[in-house]
Amino acid sequence: MLQRYQNIMVAVDGSHEAELAFEKGVNVALRNNSRLTIAHVIDTRALQSVSTFESQEDAKKLMDQYAEKAKEAGVANVVTIVEMGNPKTLLATDIPEEQKVDLIMVGATGLNAFERLLVGSSSEYILRHAKVDLLVVRDKEKTL
């Protein structure tokens, strides 16, 4: 049985691991001739000193850069999404259901060890709650 993904969502947060997930997501989208949904969630729990407007503007610029890279690589159907809220629930269920995603791709971690201890791993949460396939992209150079 050959699985062909129709709509791949890559979660990005500006981290190195998210960049690796994005690159792999572009390649998988090209091989499957599928839509690539690039999602970024502004964690409202982390907004203490940065204004919401600045965060949204930064996220929009980041997403425009990702979309341009994907299109330059040959992905014909690229969608970008910027949401505010809890990244775990938005990336695990809300956005995939709204966008009819059938594969979620995330970096192994966008947080340092201390942040993971405090807020938990988004990729672990997504693994437990997503209703579609999940691919966690790891940096071969690093150990967790």
Side-chain angles (χ1 to χ4, degrees):
M1 179 174 116
L2 181 63
Q3 172 72 44
R4 183 175 175 276
Y5 294 105
Q6 303 285 320
N7 187 3
I8 299 162
M9 180 183 84
V10 178
V12 296
D13 61 4
S15 69
H16 174 68
E17 287 80 5
E19 182 70 26
L20 295 174
F22 168 76
E23 290 170 7
K24 191 165 278 193
V26 166
N27 290 322
V28 173
L30 287 169
R31 281 195 306 271
N32 285 268
N33 193 29
S34 58
R35 174 178 162 182
L36 181 64
T37 301
I38 308 166
H40 176 72
V41 177
I42 299 169
D43 190 347
T44 53
R45 300 168 301 172
L47 291 177
Q48 291 123 357
S49 61
V50 178
S51 81
T52 302
F53 177 76
E54 288 171 352
S55 296
Q56 287 176 316
E57 285 298 308
D58 291 343
K60 173 93 172 84
K61 288 176 188 172
L62 177 68
M63 299 307 279
D64 289 345
Q65 291 170 358
Y66 277 123
E68 187 62 32
K69 285 182 188 177
K71 289 175 184 174
E72 286 174 1
V75 179
N77 191 352
V78 179
V79 174
T80 61
I81 296 173
V82 177
E83 293 278 349
M84 294 186 67
N86 182 337
K88 292 177 182 181
T89 56
L90 284 165
L91 295 172
T93 55
D94 299 348
I95 296 171
E97 287 173 9
E98 289 168 12
Q99 297 297 315
K100 298 180 177 28
V101 166
D102 53 8
L103 174 64
I104 301 169
M105 298 180 72
V106 297
T109 177
L111 304 174
N112 64 38
F114 181 68
E115 289 170 321
R116 277 195 309 274
L117 182 63
L118 291 177
V119 299
S121 166
S122 291
S123 56
E124 180 182 344
Y125 183 92
I126 295 167
L127 175 64
R128 294 182 187 276
H129 295 90
K131 296 177 178 134
V132 299
D133 291 349
L134 171 68
L135 176 62
V136 179
V137 179
R138 298 190 183 281
D139 184 350
K140 294 176 185 172
E141 307 286 319
K142 290 185 177 180
T143 57
L144 295 178

